[in-house]
Amino acid sequence: MKKSEWSDKELIEILKEMPKVKDYRDPRDIYQNLSPKKRRTFLWLLPGIASVAALFLLFLIASNIIDNNQHSLEKLKEDTTSSRELARENQGTGNGINNAGILKDQSETPKTKVTKETSFQTAVYGDNNLQDGKVLIFWIPDGVQDQNLIPVATIVNTEKNKNWLSLFNENMARLKEKEWGLSDYYPLNASLRLDKSERKVIVDVPDDHTYGQGSKQETLFINMLKRNISSNSEVKQIKFTTNGKSGIELGNYGVVEEIDIKDEKKHAYFFYYPEGSNIPFLVPSPSVYKDINTAFDAMTGDIEEYRLERSLVPSFAINHVSIVDKKLLLTLNDNTKLKDDQMTVWSLEAVLLTAKEFGFEQVLVTNPPISNIGSFDLTREINVPLAPNLREIQ
Amino acid sequence: MDSVFNELYQHYHQDVFQFLFYMVRNREQAEDLVQEVYIRVFKSYNRFEGKSSEKTWLFSIARNVAIDYFRKQKGWKGRILEKFDWSMSEIKDNVPIPEEIAIQKEEILWVFKCLDYCTVDQRAVIILRFLHDLSITETAEALEWTESKVKTTQHRALKVLKKQMATFYEKEGLTSEKVRVER
């Protein structure tokens, strides 16, 4: 039948001769094989559901994570802004250089807490039991800028045949300036002695002394001597020698041989907080005031350049003062709510010390809203202190 | 066993299998596709309207299964390439000849090979018309075509087969002559 030309009929015959092809598999096998195939739709349904669930969970988790991130971002922003605000606040209260102010502010709460339990006085009073002791005042630079000389009172044992200056010389090595947050200035690199007439203090410095290095050092040195001598004695003159030879070489002053001490009073007392301390020193102002009214006025504000802070708490609102001999009569505002706490005790002490500066011996509050502030009895006259800032050295 | 399956198997299994065998020209593939036909049948058995005979209905399903199979085999890449590369249709890979055909006489082998050159539709018509002895009407029902479309497709299919048979003849003649010369 091989030929090059095929008719339709021939071709169809060949096609009809094509072998019958049969499936030799057992029908049961075929049927068995159907079932898993039938189920196949359900088989992929399960992983399908699982993956949909997984996607759903992923979405939930992802949205959560994104949310959290945003939250933490916002939080971070808040944190930074709040810390910035805090810094600004601190700057505000610190007033530029007053770092101690910040520390004080932060510890304000514990401070007032302490005071309620035991409010204490800082100054030395006549009724203090001095026994045989003598009050010595040392003027110590503040240790930060050395702008302020801070009077620190100590009670030392007196011995016979010892004048005030030898006590001063003996005890200046015992001062704990560092502990008090002040400049480690003592003992002085100089010997102090009284001349025969006891009207002059002779200050002898060694050849290599450093008190003449710079105007600040010189002024500090001279002011320190003046204050120490005037507050501890009636001596009115200082004579300088260098290694026994007359005169002291101070850069800006030239060679200084003698200085007169003028009794400078009429200062107002302010609070000075050493770094890291919340107990203030009561410090006289750098300038003097013409009368006690202006002094009290000044005490309701800070002296920023000297890092001195207001010593009159707002509740200690003095309406007016009057004077009877050496007694100062204070009249407070009628509606003022004076508190019996530590800050008010210190305020009252500042008032007493300032009154002393203006020559008063007693202070009386004419309209006390409360009977007591600390151990002060407001219903009676209060004696002015002997000296401010009592510290123990023995 | 399912009674429906049993009935279908008894009456039509071998016909459907043979149809698929000649469509894909591979026994294993045909076996797989028969399974697929049953699955589709079970899915849509309720929808069987009885408009056509069960047999033509099964053939129509088998044809769709075969078409889907060819589509899957080509994949989307092949389908795109086909549009641009007409030379592709000329090159037919040499499908291994199933055992059943290999043992037959040469003409049968040739026809089997020539089926490769027909389109799927042409092949379906040839198989249904001449291997399964379906009438034009039955074929039209199975393919869901009009009878005239069956006729034209059949005519074209035979034309393709005749042409290819002639080329086979020429090739075979040449080789036999060659063999003779060598002897």
Side-chain angles (χ1 to χ4, degrees):
Chain A
M1 258 180 94
K2 281 186 194 171
K3 35 160 121 175
S4 57
E5 294 281 322
W6 302 76
S7 71
D8 282 3
K9 214 179 168 187
E10 285 166 333
L11 200 59
I12 289 163
E13 269 172 28
I14 296 170
L15 282 167
K16 290 197 173 180
E17 275 178 50
M18 296 285 276
K20 300 286 170 199
V21 184
K22 289 202 169 176
D23 190 354
Y24 302 113
R25 293 177 295 168
D26 193 280
R28 257 170 254 146
D29 286 348
I30 295 168
Y31 187 77
Q32 288 291 305
N33 285 338
L34 283 181
S35 317
K37 280 202 173 176
K38 251 175 141 183
R39 263 184 231 140
R40 206 156 60 177
T41 47
F42 299 101
L43 277 177
W44 74 255
L45 206 72
L46 246 153
I49 291 165
S51 41
V52 165
L55 278 172
F56 179 67
L57 283 175
L58 199 77
F59 168 76
L60 280 183
I61 294 164
S63 61
N64 240 342
I65 288 167
I66 291 163
D67 243 36
N68 272 348
N69 274 352
Q70 276 173 344
H71 271 302
S72 54
L73 261 175
E74 276 164 24
K75 219 177 177 185
L76 200 74
K77 270 184 205 161
E78 271 171 31
D79 281 355
T80 46
T81 46
S82 65
S83 63
R84 234 175 270 143
E85 274 164 21
L86 198 76
R88 216 174 296 138
E89 268 173 33
N90 280 348
Q91 251 177 4
T93 48
N95 288 329
I97 45 162
N98 196 345
N99 291 326
I102 296 165
L103 288 161
K104 180 211 69 178
D105 275 358
Q106 282 164 351
S107 49
E108 195 129 63
T109 349
K111 180 166 68 194
T112 41
K113 223 178 189 176
V114 164
T115 55
K116 267 175 194 165
E117 287 155 14
T118 53
S119 44
F120 66 95
Q121 305 163 345
T122 60
V124 194
Y125 297 86
D127 48 356
N128 279 43
N129 193 359
L130 292 177
Q131 293 165 338
D132 292 331
K134 178 179 166 52
V135 177
L136 269 184
I137 299 170
F138 292 88
W139 292 75
I140 307 171
D142 62 41
V144 178
Q145 303 238 310
D146 292 343
Q147 289 168 309
N148 298 303
L149 279 165
I150 292 159
V152 174
T154 59
I155 300 170
V156 296
N157 295 325
T158 50
E159 290 165 45
K160 284 170 190 170
N161 310 323
K162 281 199 174 171
N163 59 32
W164 69 271
L165 195 56
S166 38
L167 287 173
F168 185 91
N169 284 331
E170 276 171 27
N171 287 291
M172 68 180 172
R174 293 186 188 152
L175 297 173
K176 304 167 199 164
E177 303 103 302
K178 281 276 162 203
E179 195 181 296
W180 303 328
L182 303 175
S183 175
D184 190 7
Y185 199 75
Y186 292 91
L188 299 171
N189 187 20
S191 71
L192 278 66
R193 61 188 169 86
L194 286 167
D195 79 341
K196 288 165 196 165
S197 65
E198 295 203 351
R199 288 199 184 151
K200 280 182 194 172
V201 172
I202 298 162
V203 178
D204 185 52
V205 292
D207 286 326
D208 58 349
H209 76 93
T210 56
Y211 297 119
Q213 287 177 354
S215 61
K216 204 171 132 187
Q217 280 288 338
E218 294 157 18
T219 315
L220 187 66
F221 181 62
I222 288 171
N223 285 341
M224 180 272 301
L225 289 173
K226 281 181 178 172
R227 295 278 178 92
N228 275 325
I229 292 163
S230 70
S231 58
N232 289 306
S233 71
E234 299 297 319
V235 175
K236 297 290 176 203
Q237 231 175 18
I238 305 171
K239 188 173 159 40
F240 291 102
T241 58
T242 304
N243 202 14
K245 283 171 259 170
S246 181
I248 181 171
E249 177 75 39
L250 296 175
N252 291 331
Y253 292 79
V255 177
V256 179
E257 291 191 345
E258 280 191 353
I259 289 179
D260 292 335
I261 300 168
K262 278 177 240 157
D263 207 1
E264 243 189 11
K265 294 281 184 188
K266 297 192 174 180
H267 296 273
Y269 272 75
F270 289 81
F271 290 163
Y272 174 83
Y273 291 93
E275 266 178 66
S277 170
N278 52 23
I279 300 168
F281 283 101
L282 280 85
V283 180
S285 58
S287 50
V288 296
Y289 297 89
K290 65 177 179 0
D291 55 47
I292 195 148
N293 276 316
T294 46
F296 285 155
D297 271 352
M299 282 156 68
T300 59
D302 299 337
I303 302 175
E304 283 169 20
E305 60 268 41
Y306 284 84
R307 299 181 56 202
L308 296 174
E309 296 185 26
R310 64 177 295 166
S311 50
L312 280 181
V313 291
S315 59
F316 209 114
I318 297 165
N319 189 293
H320 64 270
V321 298
S322 46
I323 298 154
V324 181
D325 290 336
K326 297 216 163 182
K327 193 194 285 179
L328 181 72
L329 304 177
L330 291 180
T331 308
L332 302 178
N333 283 349
D334 286 336
N335 53 357
T336 192
K337 281 171 183 156
L338 208 57
K339 278 179 274 179
D340 178 16
D341 64 11
Q342 184 64 71
M343 285 303 280
T344 311
V345 169
W346 289 332
S347 280
L348 181 58
E349 289 196 290
V351 168
L352 296 173
L353 285 164
T354 307
K356 192 191 181 189
E357 284 281 310
F358 285 87
F360 297 103
E361 287 171 0
Q362 285 186 319
V363 174
L364 177 68
V365 180
T366 56
N367 57 343
I370 50 176
S371 58
N372 282 76
I373 299 174
S375 56
F376 293 108
D377 186 354
L378 287 190
T379 57
R380 297 159 69 174
E381 290 93 345
I382 303 162
N383 290 327
V384 297
L386 296 175
N389 306 317
L390 177 66
R391 294 291 185 276
E392 286 190 1
I393 57 166
Q394 279 163 343
Chain B
M1 248 200 300
D2 202 302
S3 60
V4 177
F5 171 78
N6 215 9
E7 203 186 320
L8 289 174
Y9 184 85
Q10 290 284 322
H11 290 95
Y12 312 110
H13 183 80
Q14 297 307 341
D15 281 339
V16 171
F17 179 76
Q18 181 172 281
F19 171 78
L20 287 167
F21 176 85
Y22 280 106
M23 284 297 280
V24 299
R25 280 155 303 138
N26 178 301
R27 176 170 279 275
E28 282 76 33
Q29 271 314 322
E31 281 174 1
D32 278 358
L33 292 181
V34 164
Q35 303 293 120
E36 179 64 26
V37 170
Y38 278 115
I39 288 161
R40 289 196 191 184
V41 166
F42 288 140
K43 264 192 209 164
S44 55
Y45 193 74
N46 318 340
R47 278 186 276 144
F48 176 59
E49 289 162 354
K51 263 189 204 167
S52 51
S53 75
E54 272 187 330
K55 195 178 178 179
T56 54
W57 180 61
L58 280 170
F59 276 132
S60 76
I61 289 171
R63 175 184 160 257
N64 288 330
V65 168
I67 288 171
D68 287 352
Y69 163 74
F70 287 126
R71 274 187 196 147
K72 262 185 217 164
Q73 249 195 344
K74 267 186 203 161
W76 61 271
K77 246 189 218 168
R79 255 177 281 158
I80 292 165
L81 279 174
E82 201 184 35
K83 300 266 186 215
F84 296 98
D85 196 356
W86 287 279
S87 63
M88 280 276 285
S89 55
E90 300 298 319
I91 305 154
K92 301 282 177 183
D93 33 354
N94 281 317
V95 187
I97 308 299
E99 219 185 297
E100 295 86 344
I101 308 300
I103 54 166
Q104 301 292 326
K105 59 179 180 177
E106 220 172 10
E107 284 87 354
I108 302 227
L109 194 61
W110 288 356
V111 170
F112 184 81
K113 282 183 177 174
C114 289
L115 280 173
D116 212 15
Y117 292 89
C118 296
T119 65
V120 175
D121 282 344
Q122 286 168 353
R123 212 182 302 157
V125 170
I126 295 289
I127 295 163
L128 291 177
R129 284 285 289 120
F130 306 119
L131 273 76
H132 290 278
D133 287 322
L134 261 62
S135 68
I136 298 277
T137 320
E138 281 174 319
T139 310
E141 262 177 38
L143 301 177
E144 290 155 348
W145 290 351
T146 60
E147 285 180 21
S148 60
K149 191 180 176 182
V150 174
K151 278 178 197 164
T152 47
T153 311
Q154 181 189 309
H155 178 71
R156 279 177 195 156
L158 287 172
K159 212 174 158 186
V160 170
L161 284 178
K162 272 191 278 180
K163 192 189 161 199
Q164 289 303 323
M165 289 292 276
T167 26
F168 266 113
Y169 177 75
E170 272 170 37
K171 261 197 222 163
E172 288 298 307
L174 281 173
T175 46
S176 53
E177 267 170 36
K178 239 184 187 176
V179 170
R180 224 175 290 142
V181 168
E182 272 172 5
R183 271 178 194 165

